Amino acid sequence: MAYKIIEGCVNCWACLPLCPSEAIRDALPHFTIDARACTECEGDFADPQCASICPIEGVILDSLGVPLNPPGSLTGIPPDRWAEIRTQIQAR
Amino acid sequence: MELKVIAEAAGAPGGGCASSGCGAGGDKLAHLPEAIRAKINNHPCFSEDAHHHYARMHVAVAPACNIQCHYCNRKYDCSNESRPGVVSEVLTPDQAVKKVIAVAAAIPQMTVLGIAGPGDPLANPQRTLETFRQLSEKAPDIKLCVSTNGLALPELVDEICKHNIEHVTITINCVDPDVGAKIYPWIFWNNRRVTGRKAAEILIAQQQKGLEMLVARGVLVKVNSVLIPGVNAEHLKEVSRVVKAKGAFLHNVMPLIAEPEHGTFFGLMGQRGPTNDELSALQDACAGDMAMMRHCRQCRADAVGMLGEDRGDEFTLDKIAEQEVDYAAAMARRAEVHAAIEASRTAQRRQSSETFVSIASLTRRRPARPEPRPVLMAVASTGGGVINQHFGHAREFLVYEASANDVRFVGHRKVDLYCSGDETCGDGESVLAKTIRVLDGCEVVLCSRIGYEPWGQLEAAGIAPNGEHAMEPIEDAIAVVYREMGEAGLLEPAAGATQRMSA
Ligand code: SF4
Ligand code: SF4
Ligand code: SF4
């Protein structure tokens, strides 16, 4: 039972001070979660704190590898719109 | 964080100093108590005149945020309290203090240090407050200020007052949760993420409470609002009324910046930004008896130097690493430089009032004529309140309106930042074509020098280039040019239609 931060994290520091288990490290190139320390906030908070403040979609995964904040959930930008813009930009 | 001032004091629309060119930001706030005017006299962000003379800097110590705004993409930066674009380095409080000391020693015009993100400074209270604590000790002559979205403000008001912060800027885009729901997708509140209308309701309540608490403690509060066409454009008049009633001393309405490449919700969804005209119209509508700030530059969260310039590159961590700064000597030097600036401001003020008497008499001498029409003029200046920049070097222009009674600063226009929102806003456009489009509506551009080619193109576009007033005080030169236009018969009301470019 532990969460994971993956590539895409912008090192914004929002999650680190909130973690009740001091499981988050300000590592480079992006922050990481110490799997041994992470409790998924069980017993401390109803919602996992890191995933509740992280502004970037898809960068925090649960133990099954599923994003806690899937694409579109935070920004309201539909994933297909993202895909379309990305294609446009890459075609430049 | 943008930041900065002023229009008409109560009961004197278009009048008083705003117009007389006395040049004192403080005097434009004549309705405010002396103590407040003294506080902003040399604050480049709050006093429109001071920004010609004094410098400010931001330190990026606060990367975290506790809300999401649809015009912000934290992969890059905060587009509201700072200009979009990457903050080159997020600093620790110790690094920030070192940088401030180095900059304040190298740029003695510096009067203000602000913390404005890239996230929300009060969502990073330890980092922000530690920076302020050290600075109030080491550089007691530097004014401190902070910008915030307001969510965490009420609980931190006491801490803020303890660190002797004189100015706080709160970004308030709405007072109606239904409007807020279109701007803020979520907030982090009581250890959970809250979305939708409920989120906006909490945020608005916190902002209003924070505003009231700060005012009650005598802290100067400026309110920033981002003008989002079709979302809060009309509503901002109400926001202006409410915040003014609660004691905010300045309202700064800034244009939404939403380009798809910034990756923001608004940018990607095609939300347009306001045109220059929409922005000025709203600023005028909000002005009323409230001071409006029009020289905001939407600076980066790590900007350094005079407004409109950014000398951040000179002060990167590795460049300041070996510097030893003598604090006491630097402070003494700042005091000297500031005294010299104040002396020259006083002198300029005196000169200007003479000039302005003569404009007024111009109209009096010709009572039979209809009042001459007002004219917009653009100025290239790097600061000091004088015309001192080459046309081709200007990245922004200060825009003034000259009329029968006065010369009034109405705002600035950036060459490389603002999109005026029309179809021609494409990549292929040359810098000159873009500049000309940015100057739409201006009939004269004053600069220290100008090249042959731009000269011709400006004329073709109906804008008269003028390099005859290099190094002269801006408002005096505008008054002279306006009078000359009158003498040449260019100010008949009907002439306007042919002089201007098609809007
Ligand atoms: S889930 Fe909770 S315990 Fe685990 S890293 Fe996130 S904040 Fe820390
Ligand atoms: S909140 Fe998200 S983006 Fe920010 S540091 Fe934590 S994981 Fe990275
Ligand atoms: S408050 Fe500032 S940093 Fe936070 S989301 Fe809004 S604009 Fe971005």
Side-chain angles (χ1 to χ4, degrees):
Chain A
M1 295 282 282
Y3 290 165
K4 191 175 176 191
I5 294 174
I6 60 167
E7 188 193 34
C9 156
V10 296
N11 302 6
C12 78
W13 283 87
C15 56
L16 188 141
L18 294 176
C19 174
S21 319
E22 294 183 21
I24 302 176
R25 304 277 172 265
D26 63 328
L28 286 174
H30 58 79
F31 284 34
T32 57
I33 291 173
D34 176 349
R36 287 158 305 175
C38 171
T39 59
E40 298 186 4
C41 291
E42 283 268 345
D44 289 301
F45 297 102
D47 300 328
Q49 296 300 286
C50 54
S52 297
I53 198 166
C54 179
I56 308 297
E57 293 165 348
V59 302
I60 304 187
L61 308 181
D62 69 11
S63 50
L64 299 173
V66 177
L68 284 138
N69 298 308
S73 64
L74 302 184
T75 55
I77 301 166
D80 51 340
R81 189 85 182 98
W82 262 119
E84 191 188 307
I85 301 267
R86 198 176 312 120
T87 320
Q88 273 176 21
I89 289 176
Q90 284 167 357
R92 277 176 191 163
Chain B
M1 188 154 135
E2 19 277 25
L3 327 209
K4 326 8 160 127
V5 185
I6 328 300
E8 300 83 34
C17 266
S19 34
S20 70
C22 78
D27 290 350
K28 291 169 199 175
L29 299 169
H31 61 298
L32 293 171
E34 178 60 37
I36 292 188
R37 287 187 285 145
K39 280 183 181 176
I40 60 170
N41 180 52
N42 65 354
H43 194 307
C45 308
F46 290 144
S47 160
E48 169 191 318
D49 181 68
H51 92 274
H52 292 307
H53 307 281
Y54 292 106
R56 55 73 180 101
M57 75 180 285
H58 291 158
V59 283
V61 294
C65 193
N66 49 11
I67 73 173
Q68 178 67 53
C69 302
H70 272 328
Y71 46 74
C72 175
N73 174 355
R74 268 163 293 125
K75 282 177 187 161
Y76 302 98
D77 196 2
C78 175
S79 58
N80 137 29
E81 281 96 9
S82 65
R83 207 189 83 155
V86 187
V87 182
S88 27
E89 43 191 6
V90 169
L91 309 176
T92 64
D94 290 346
Q95 290 169 330
V97 170
K98 195 164 166 60
K99 179 165 170 180
V100 173
I101 300 287
V103 171
I107 307 180
Q109 295 94 332
M110 192 176 126
T111 52
V112 172
L113 176 276
I115 300 187
D120 182 66
L122 300 185
N124 297 255
Q126 297 84 357
R127 297 170 77 99
T128 299
L129 293 171
E130 172 61 14
T131 309
F132 285 145
R133 195 190 58 70
Q134 289 193 33
L135 283 174
S136 53
E137 229 167 67
K138 295 186 181 162
D141 64 328
I142 302 283
K143 289 179 196 295
L144 305 177
C145 58
V146 63
S147 277
T148 178
N149 60 39
L151 182 64
L153 182 56
E155 62 188 78
L156 289 165
V157 162
D158 289 332
E159 274 294 308
I160 288 175
C161 293
K162 203 155 85 196
H163 294 291
N164 207 14
I165 291 162
E166 287 185 348
H167 311 88
V168 173
T169 298
I170 314 175
T171 299
I172 299 181
N173 297 316
C174 55
V175 289
D176 172 351
D178 289 319
V179 175
K182 297 190 189 129
I183 304 172
Y184 308 107
W186 56 265
I187 67 170
F188 181 76
W189 180 246
N190 283 345
N191 297 99
R192 43 176 26 132
R193 201 188 299 267
V194 180
T195 59
R197 191 179 187 280
K198 178 84 192 143
E201 212 174 275
I202 296 168
L203 177 64
I204 291 167
Q206 290 291 101
Q207 291 171 333
Q208 297 298 318
K209 188 171 164 198
L211 168 60
E212 289 162 18
M213 291 171 76
L214 287 170
V215 169
R217 284 163 176 76
V219 175
L220 288 186
V221 180
K222 169 164 71 65
V223 169
N224 280 353
S225 299
V226 180
L227 169 56
I228 311 162
V231 174
N232 68 351
E234 274 307 302
H235 180 60
L236 282 182
K237 296 174 194 167
E238 169 73 2
V239 171
S240 204
R241 261 195 303 280
V242 171
V243 301
K244 161 76 197 325
K246 293 194 177 175
F249 87 109
L250 193 58
H251 188 198
N252 172 25
V253 177
M254 307 176 296
L256 170 72
I257 300 170
E259 310 292 333
E261 57 269 33
H262 297 154
T264 63
F265 174 85
F266 282 149
L268 291 169
M269 294 302 164
Q271 166 73 52
R272 71 175 179 91
T275 61
N276 287 322
D277 285 352
E278 284 172 324
L279 179 66
S280 316
L282 191 81
Q283 286 174 333
D284 289 343
C286 290
D289 54 355
M290 170 96 178
M292 293 289 296
M293 175 166 127
R294 296 170 194 256
H295 66 284
C296 172
R297 299 301 202 283
Q298 295 177 284
C299 314
R300 295 168 52 101
D302 55 2
V304 171
M306 308 289 281
L307 264 61
E309 75 172 7
D310 191 350
R311 298 176 56 182
D313 291 351
E314 297 167 39
F315 303 98
T316 53
L317 281 184
D318 45 318
K319 289 189 187 147
I320 61 173
E322 296 95 62
Q323 288 183 23
E324 273 310 319
V325 174
D326 179 343
Y327 297 158
M331 257 167 62
R333 168 129 188 274
R334 280 201 292 278
E336 271 167 34
V337 169
H338 295 179
I341 291 174
E342 286 308 312
S344 91
R345 285 173 87 184
T346 309
Q348 261 188 33
R349 247 166 251 172
R350 222 172 278 132
Q351 265 183 16
S352 298
S353 44
E354 283 157 22
T355 313
F356 284 93
V357 169
S358 62
I359 298 188
S361 55
L362 167 82
T363 44
R364 249 178 269 127
R365 261 186 276 119
R366 301 177 186 170
R369 298 194 150 216
E371 177 144 299
R373 67 191 175 82
V375 170
L376 290 182
M377 301 191 199
V379 175
S381 171
T382 59
V386 294
I387 299 163
N388 60 359
Q389 194 172 30
H390 191 297
F391 175 81
H393 298 164
R395 298 268 62 87
E396 65 168 17
F397 291 88
L398 306 176
V399 177
Y400 289 77
E401 185 189 80
S403 69
N405 316 308
D406 55 46
V407 172
R408 177 174 81 107
F409 176 71
V410 292
H412 69 283
R413 299 201 191 156
K414 287 205 192 196
V415 175
D416 54 355
L417 180 61
Y418 292 125
C419 170
S420 60
D422 63 0
E423 298 302 326
T424 61
C425 183
D427 283 333
E429 216 175 5
S430 76
V431 176
L432 179 57
K434 204 171 174 188
T435 303
I436 289 176
R437 191 163 48 75
V438 163
L439 294 178
D440 183 22
C442 298
E443 295 176 39
V444 176
V445 59
L446 292 151
C447 50
S448 65
R449 289 184 58 195
I450 178 167
Y452 184 72
E453 210 212 314
W455 183 286
Q457 293 203 31
L458 278 167
E459 281 197 324
I463 304 171
N466 185 323
E468 285 161 35
H469 298 274
M471 299 320 292
E472 290 177 20
I474 295 172
E475 298 182 346
D476 294 5
I478 289 175
V480 169
V481 172
Y482 187 71
R483 192 170 46 217
E484 286 167 359
M485 288 176 79
E487 283 158 5
L490 295 170
L491 301 179
E492 311 303 325
T498 50
Q499 281 279 324
R500 288 176 189 233
M501 294 172 64
S502 55

